[in-house]
């Protein structure tokens, strides 16, 4: 059901026009919905929707910690790397290669299908996200640009039974607790 239907006024109530109130209502109506879908329908950034999510579902890390966080994530083994745009949700499993700065990019190359050049200077917020997604716990580290859109996301992987990998969950929870 589209968010607009979930937010349809009951009886004679006037329609909600404040975008952030619409976001809060959408999150309450479908707490495991797709953040990007709510953002598109309401007309706000993905980051704005995430900021409106319950506090226990997200923890923010300063963008200045980009490299230190990347180095930590590179020790996790195979992760799920996602780039979600209007046109594609690209999912790639692999380890995160250790990178280095050069020519305005954080360059990542190695023995992994994940590689390339990240404009790390464009990263303005990093979020540790622990929330339900289609009825299942989902844990991710999301990197946001100045427009409030996700540059990319790194997810804790699942096993063959679709359960989150316990060792990566432990590392993720340690980030939530200790990484500053």
């Amino acid at each position: 059901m589209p968010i607009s239907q979930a937010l349809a006024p009951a009886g004679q109530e006037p329609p909600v026009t404040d975008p952030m109130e619409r976001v809060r209502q959408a999150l309450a109506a479908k707490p495991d919905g797709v953040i990007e879908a709510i953002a598109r329908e309401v007309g706000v950034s993905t980051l704005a929707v995430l900021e409106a999510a319950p506090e226990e579902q997200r923890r923010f890390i300063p963008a200045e910690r980009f490299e230190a966080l990347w180095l930590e994530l590179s020790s996790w083994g195979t992760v799920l790397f996602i780039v979600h745009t209007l046109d594609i949700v690209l999912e790639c499993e692999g380890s995160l290669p250790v990178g280095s700065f050069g020519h305005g990019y954080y360059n990542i190359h190695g023995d992994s299908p994940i590689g390339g050049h990240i404009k790390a200077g464009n990263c303005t917020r990093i979020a540790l996200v622990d929330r339900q997604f289609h009825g299942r716990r989902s844990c991710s580290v999301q990197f946001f640009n100045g427009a409030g859109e996700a540059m990319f996301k790194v997810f804790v992987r699942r096993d063959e039974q679709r359960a989150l990998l316990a060792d990566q969950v432990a590392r993720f929870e340690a980030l939530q607790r200790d990484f500053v």
Side-chain angles (χ1 to χ4, degrees):
M1 163 176 31
I3 295 164
S4 56
Q5 288 178 1
L7 301 179
Q12 288 83 342
E13 294 178 26
V16 175
T17 57
D18 175 49
M20 292 315 296
E21 183 56 31
R22 289 181 63 211
V23 165
R24 285 186 285 281
Q25 288 181 359
L27 287 168
K30 191 161 175 48
D32 66 345
V34 178
I35 297 288
E36 287 84 355
I38 295 170
R40 277 193 304 276
E41 185 147 341
V42 175
V44 299
S45 72
T46 303
L47 181 59
V49 175
L50 188 58
E51 288 171 332
E55 195 170 320
E56 64 272 9
Q57 294 180 5
R58 80 287 192 282
R59 175 166 184 252
F60 292 102
I61 294 174
E64 295 77 25
R65 300 290 287 148
F66 178 96
E67 186 175 27
L69 181 57
W70 186 274
L71 290 173
E72 169 60 28
L73 294 172
S74 71
S75 72
W76 286 21
T78 302
V79 295
L80 179 61
F81 187 87
I82 294 182
V83 176
H84 186 162
T85 72
L86 286 173
D87 303 308
I88 187 171
V89 178
L90 179 64
E91 300 179 3
C92 182
E93 286 190 2
S95 61
L96 299 181
V98 173
S100 62
F101 285 100
H103 305 287
Y105 290 90
Y106 189 70
N107 303 292
I108 53 172
H109 301 290
D111 190 23
S112 173
I114 301 170
H117 314 278
I118 301 169
K119 203 67 149 152
N122 288 355
C123 181
T124 59
R125 297 281 304 268
I126 302 169
L128 304 175
V129 181
D130 187 345
R131 63 187 297 269
Q132 295 290 305
F133 180 71
H134 296 302
R136 294 177 186 248
R137 183 182 184 194
S138 177
C139 301
S140 62
V141 181
Q142 302 186 18
F143 297 77
F144 289 90
N145 63 24
E149 297 307 327
M151 299 169 65
F152 58 89
K153 306 172 187 183
V154 178
F155 280 80
V156 169
R157 280 193 34 249
R158 296 183 182 279
D159 64 17
E160 300 79 34
Q161 289 75 41
R162 309 283 302 138
L164 294 173
L165 298 179
D167 64 317
Q168 288 186 0
V169 169
R171 288 172 174 246
F172 179 82
E173 290 173 346
L175 282 180
Q176 288 178 304
R177 196 176 49 249
D178 305 326
F179 199 86
V180 288

